[in-house]
Amino acid sequence: KENFEVGKSYRNYVLFMLMVVYSFNFIDRQILVILQEPIKAELGLSDTQLGLMTGLTFALFYVIMGLPIARLADRSNRRNIVAISLTVWSGMTALSGFAQNFWQLLLARIGVGIGEAGGSPPSHSMISDYFPPEQRATAFSIYNMGIYIGIMVGFLVGGWMADTLGWRVAFFVVGLPGILLAVILRLTIKEPPRGFYDKEKHQDVPLKAVIAHFRSYKSMTLLSLACAMTSFTGYGTTNFMPAYLARVHEMSTTDIGVALAISIGVGGGLGTFASGFLADKLGKKDIRWYMWMPALMGLVSTPFGLYVFLSDDTANIMYVFFISALLSSMYLGPSIAVCHSLCKANMRALVSAILFFILNIIGLGLGPLATGMLSDYLAADYGVLSIRYALVIVSIFGSALAVTLFYWAGKQLAIDSKKYNSIDVEHVEMPEL
């Protein structure tokens, strides 16, 4: 630790680079969403198959591989893991452009999921070693802006290319630059000392002990489920927004890309940044606001989302969706910061992986699949409008549970924070289970 000296500008550069990597994560993840209508037409796919590719199958490999990779990140060089992972998922995205049928495209997307599993947990751990506890919610929120920057770029590039050069070229264009970014990351980012801002000494912690630690703090379980239900709504609706706008509002793929890039990309990015800033401010007065702020924002955003799905006013729904995306994005940065504040430095990558396991297996895995299956089920009675009512059902169900769980997590956090801070973490021995 004594030999690791970096200035504020370099810390900010590291955060910026990791945010850019996370942007590429979501460009490559969400490019399939904007391209799904032309892909569906060429390959003859159903909404359920689209839900499997953009949701469950991707999520399964993403979360299953996330745990062992995070375990490795808690023991070895995190920067190198991120660089290798970025190379893998970018290459598999480019290969998606060669797919000739559902199974080939599905296998390519599995490869993307495996690669992306090594992105966030090591990055989270590095950020906690570059920034002190009182700045982490803001730092994580800036990092998580990469989600919405990636969505914005993916929708803009993918929408335009789908209408001009075709969906296959779009996969090549967004995939290949990630390999160059991986080289830049490897050459310019320093691996920070583990636990740089923490008092405890480094010791290897068994996987079962980390899981036991996670479960011993009820607030972490509750906030993980709350994040999962927020993502259930978010992925379930966002992944089918292009289909909804194309089928119900008869918008072109280019127009859809621009509209969603602004509403989700800009609105979601602003909400994500604001969430960290607000959480750090409000949390100083009452730690429960780290969870109550996402609960409040989720509650307020729901009526805006329902208006978007039920209105026939094409000219105005995207303005309203901008507000909905801004408010509903204000949850992830504070949630990661809370988890990291309740665990030791050499657990953080794995704790993030556990959080993302729960979040993605429920949110990413089941959200798009539920929406696709509901749309196919309702098609016999409602025809093209089936996607509208599927989005409404998913939105109401997911939002109601998320708000309740975040409120409950806030109450429990006040108890768990006192419990954790009463432990002498410098000398505590984690149980071998």
Side-chain angles (χ1 to χ4, degrees):
K1 293 185 180 182
E2 291 78 6
N3 297 324
F4 186 76
E5 294 292 339
V6 296
K8 181 179 179 181
S9 59
Y10 183 77
R11 284 194 301 154
N12 291 337
Y13 169 74
V14 171
L15 182 60
F16 171 77
M17 282 295 294
L18 293 176
M19 182 191 71
V20 172
V21 171
Y22 204 28
S23 299
F24 273 71
N25 184 302
F26 269 80
I27 292 172
D28 293 0
R29 186 185 307 190
Q30 294 297 105
I31 188 68
L32 181 59
V33 173
I34 190 64
L35 300 175
Q36 61 186 348
E37 285 299 288
I39 291 174
K40 178 181 180 179
E42 182 174 332
L43 302 184
L45 307 181
S46 67
D47 282 347
T48 299
Q49 287 176 312
L50 291 175
L52 280 170
M53 281 196 301
T54 61
L56 182 60
T57 304
F58 177 94
L60 281 175
F61 285 88
Y62 179 77
V63 300
I64 289 172
M65 292 302 298
L67 290 173
I69 293 175
R71 182 68 175 140
L72 180 64
D74 277 331
R75 294 174 167 178
S76 60
N77 190 295
R78 295 160 288 182
R79 174 204 58 197
N80 292 348
I81 292 173
V82 174
I84 293 170
S85 299
L86 173 57
T87 302
V88 171
W89 86 62
S90 298
M92 296 305 294
T93 296
L95 286 176
S96 300
F98 293 107
Q100 299 298 314
N101 55 52
F102 168 73
W103 293 107
Q104 290 178 4
L105 186 55
L106 185 68
L107 287 173
R109 299 309 293 175
I110 288 173
V112 175
I114 292 172
E116 291 192 1
S120 285
S123 297
H124 291 173
S125 181
M126 290 175 68
I127 290 170
S128 282
D129 287 334
Y130 269 107
F131 292 87
E134 65 273 12
Q135 297 179 16
R136 283 178 189 156
T138 300
F140 281 125
S141 291
I142 293 172
Y143 170 77
N144 285 315
M145 286 175 64
I147 296 173
Y148 301 97
I149 294 172
I151 291 173
M152 179 175 65
V153 174
F155 281 160
L156 284 173
V157 174
W160 178 76
M161 287 198 168
D163 282 341
T164 56
L165 301 175
W167 62 269
R168 297 182 185 278
V169 176
F171 278 121
F172 302 145
V173 170
V174 303
L176 294 177
I179 299 174
L180 175 61
L181 178 63
V183 175
I184 297 172
L185 176 78
R186 173 62 181 81
L187 295 177
T188 63
I189 298 299
K190 299 177 182 178
E191 171 73 4
R194 206 174 303 273
F196 187 73
Y197 288 101
D198 300 278
K199 295 186 297 181
E200 73 268 25
K201 299 176 182 179
H202 175 76
Q203 63 183 89
D204 190 37
V205 183
L207 171 60
K208 290 183 178 180
V210 177
I211 295 173
H213 180 85
F214 192 98
R215 293 177 60 190
S216 69
Y217 292 93
K218 192 174 181 180
S219 58
M220 287 206 279
T221 301
L222 290 170
L223 75 85
S224 298
L225 292 173
C227 288
M229 295 315 303
T230 302
S231 295
F232 178 89
T233 302
Y235 282 117
T237 56
T238 299
N239 284 22
F240 278 92
M241 273 298 288
Y244 167 68
L245 295 175
R247 299 175 198 176
V248 178
H249 293 273
E250 299 181 343
M251 294 173 63
S252 70
T253 306
T254 300
D255 290 340
I256 292 170
V258 173
L260 293 182
I262 295 172
S263 58
I264 300 176
V266 178
L270 289 174
T272 299
F273 174 75
S275 69
F277 178 79
L278 287 174
D280 278 337
K281 291 293 183 182
L282 295 172
K284 288 180 180 179
K285 299 178 180 179
D286 187 337
I287 197 171
R288 293 176 294 183
W289 278 105
Y290 275 100
M291 296 290 92
W292 285 355
M293 187 269 294
L296 179 61
M297 296 301 104
L299 181 64
V300 175
S301 71
T302 301
F304 292 100
L306 293 177
Y307 175 85
V308 171
F309 303 137
L310 293 172
S311 175
D312 292 319
D313 188 351
T314 304
N316 288 325
I317 60 171
M318 298 317 298
Y319 296 110
V320 178
F321 193 51
F322 179 94
I323 299 172
S324 175
L326 188 152
L327 296 173
S328 61
S329 65
M330 300 176 71
Y331 75 101
L332 191 53
S335 298
I336 297 170
V338 165
C339 285
H340 281 213
S341 71
L342 295 175
C343 71
K344 301 172 68 178
N346 53 341
M347 296 181 182
R348 286 179 181 143
L350 193 51
V351 164
S352 285
I354 295 171
L355 169 63
F356 272 47
F357 181 95
I358 298 169
L359 184 156
N360 283 297
I361 202 68
I362 296 174
L364 178 57
L366 300 182
L369 180 60
T371 306
M373 292 179 68
L374 280 169
S375 178
D376 286 339
Y377 175 76
L378 296 171
D381 294 325
Y382 297 99
V384 71
L385 294 179
S386 66
I387 189 63
R388 161 178 282 173
Y389 299 115
L391 290 169
V392 169
I393 293 170
V394 167
S395 181
I396 293 174
F397 174 74
S399 297
L401 283 177
V403 169
T404 302
L405 287 164
F406 269 126
Y407 176 76
W408 191 5
K411 295 182 68 175
Q412 186 63 38
L413 178 58
I415 300 171
D416 286 353
S417 178
K418 293 178 181 178
K419 173 184 173 182
Y420 183 77
N421 289 329
S422 68
I423 299 173
D424 183 358
V425 294
E426 187 172 358
H427 299 99
V428 69
E429 293 291 335
M430 293 306 301
E432 294 279 356
L433 299 182

